[in-house]
Structure formats: structure tokens, C-alpha cells
Amino acid sequence: MTEGRLCQVHLLDGRKLELLVQPKLLSRELLDLVASHFNLKEKEYFGLCFVDDNGHNNWLQLDRKVLDHAFSKTPGPLELKFLVRFYVEKITLLKENTTVELFFLNAKSLVFNETIEVASENVFKLAAFALQEAKGDYSSAETTASNLKQLPVLPTRVLREHPSLNYCEERVIEHYKKLKGVTRGQAIVKYLALVESLPTYGVHYYSVKVTAVP
């Protein structure tokens, strides 16, 4: 009897879910299992993806067995990522708070990893919203600087574009101070509203191989 394969699923909140995938397990069943860890009802917006040997993201097809996909031949556990796959035009179309929070975590990851293009000024605004969501009202420059070093909100590209980290922190603080009294939920909505206005948000890029015609 064929044994299963060890799998690590990277969740949007930073946790890792480790499990043994059996040969007959369908991708849909695995997605259901992952969604249950968030008590997620609106799971139709989410998917599981893996990186192939060419470094490209591939989504698991829900009607196929998990182990039937062309995973990397690198030894070790399968590495899967739980991410937003299908986007909504407006965040207000989502019904559950859990779904909204997962969209927020997904958007923060896209910004920090430079998956979507964000002008520096918008990065500073988004960082301020993220601080308000995570830490509440502004208290001091020292505390904010410390928090900014801990939170993944300032992409490497933005840091390189400006004279210093201190300059970037000061720009974030300017926006952060204006958010006094904004609740955690309001900060999430403001963050997502700004991200939704960006032209590359919700776009999945795929590499295309062009073959010359003789």
C-alpha cells in the first residue's frame, strides 16, 4: 500500500500546518481541511498553490488528487501556500469578518513581497494602516520605529528608493498620527480600499513561452 507524503501548508497568518497527504486525497478535501482551521465559510475565494521547478506558482486543481500535480522534485515535504485566488471588486461584497481579515493578510503579503506595484507614498500610507491595525493609536516615534522593524510593511524596493530607513519611518509616522481613534476593523477596511484602487491588485501573472515559427 502506497504511503502518503508529508506536506507543509503555509497559512496567511504565518502559521504552518503539517499533515500527511494520502494518495487518494482530493485537492478540494485538502482545501476544506485548511479552511476549517480558520472556521472559514467563504472558502470559494481561496486556493492552494505550489512553486514548481521553474519557480512559478501553480494552483492545485480542486477536482484532482493532490499528489497528481507536478510538484518540484526537490526532496522533503511538499510546500503549499494558502492564498486568495479569486478577488472581489469591493471588499464590502464579503460577508464574513474572517474572510476580510484573510484578504487583508494576503494584501499585506503582496505589498511586502512586491508582487503588486505600489508607489512609495501609498506604501507609507498602507504601513500606517497596518500599524493602526496591529498596535492601535500612535504613541511615540521610538515605539513606531521599533514596530516598523518588526512588521513586514516596508518593501526592499521602497527602502532603496529613499535616503534612509529613518526617512521612510518619518513618512509613515506622518500618516500614522492622523489615524488616532481609528478602530482595528476600520484600519483593515482602509488598507484594503487603498489596495483595491491599485491597477495590479487581483492580477495573477503567468510566464509565457514564445516559440518561433519557422
Side-chain angles (χ1 to χ4, degrees), residues 118-129 154 157-158 161-162 167-168 170-175 178 194 198:
V118 189
S120 291
E121 194 58 32
N122 281 333
V123 168
F124 299 145
K125 290 178 181 178
L126 291 170
F129 293 142
L154 292 175
R157 176 189 59 80
V158 171
E161 286 179 354
H162 297 284
Y167 172 86
C168 295
E170 289 175 354
R171 298 295 294 119
V172 173
I173 287 172
E174 285 181 35
H175 296 291
K178 299 173 185 176
L194 178 50
L198 303 175

Side-chain angles (χ1 to χ4, degrees), residues 1-190:
M1 184 176 178
T2 307
E3 293 183 0
R5 185 167 176 186
L6 192 63
C7 174
Q8 282 189 345
V9 182
H10 297 261
L11 306 179
L12 284 164
D13 58 6
R15 290 181 296 159
K16 287 182 185 178
L17 180 63
E18 294 194 356
L19 45 89
L20 191 67
V21 174
Q22 298 297 334
K24 292 184 179 180
L25 185 72
L26 292 173
S27 300
R28 186 184 309 280
E29 295 171 327
L30 179 57
L31 182 61
D32 287 345
L33 180 63
V34 175
S36 71
H37 281 260
F38 294 101
N39 293 317
L40 179 63
K41 297 177 182 176
E42 295 176 290
K43 57 193 174 190
E44 63 269 22
Y45 298 112
F46 299 86
L48 295 165
C49 76
F50 64 94
V51 179
D52 63 20
D53 283 325
N54 296 316
H56 301 141
N57 277 336
N58 292 267
W59 294 99
L60 294 191
Q61 301 305 307
L62 297 183
D63 56 348
R64 290 179 63 189
K65 295 173 185 175
V66 175
L67 298 183
D68 283 351
H69 293 79
F71 292 111
S72 169
K73 295 178 176 60
T74 305
L78 293 178
E79 298 277 345
L80 296 174
K81 293 182 286 186
F82 174 72
L83 300 170
V84 174
R85 184 175 184 182
F86 301 107
Y87 291 81
V88 289
E89 186 177 348
K90 295 284 185 183
I91 206 68
T92 50
L93 296 174
L94 301 175
K95 298 174 183 176
E96 300 283 333
N97 288 338
T98 299
T99 317
V100 174
E101 292 204 19
L102 290 173
F103 265 70
F104 168 66
L105 292 173
N106 191 83
K108 279 204 306 179
S109 175
L110 293 175
V111 172
F112 183 69
N113 294 324
E114 302 178 25
T115 307
I116 56 176
E117 297 176 14
V118 189
S120 291
E121 194 58 32
N122 281 333
V123 168
F124 299 145
K125 290 178 181 178
L126 291 170
F129 293 142
L131 280 167
Q132 188 70 18
E133 180 273 333
K135 304 296 181 179
D137 289 345
Y138 171 84
S139 58
S140 71
E142 293 77 12
T143 301
T144 302
S146 175
N147 290 335
L148 280 173
K149 290 179 177 67
Q150 296 170 13
L151 295 173
V153 292
L154 292 175
T156 303
R157 176 189 59 80
V158 171
L159 295 175
R160 287 175 179 163
E161 286 179 354
H162 297 284
S164 66
L165 173 60
N166 187 56
Y167 172 86
C168 295
E169 290 170 350
E170 289 175 354
R171 298 295 294 119
V172 173
I173 287 172
E174 285 181 35
H175 296 291
Y176 188 20
K177 286 179 176 179
K178 299 173 185 176
L179 298 176
K180 184 177 181 179
V182 172
T183 67
R184 179 174 178 272
Q186 289 169 336
I188 289 175
V189 170
K190 287 177 180 291

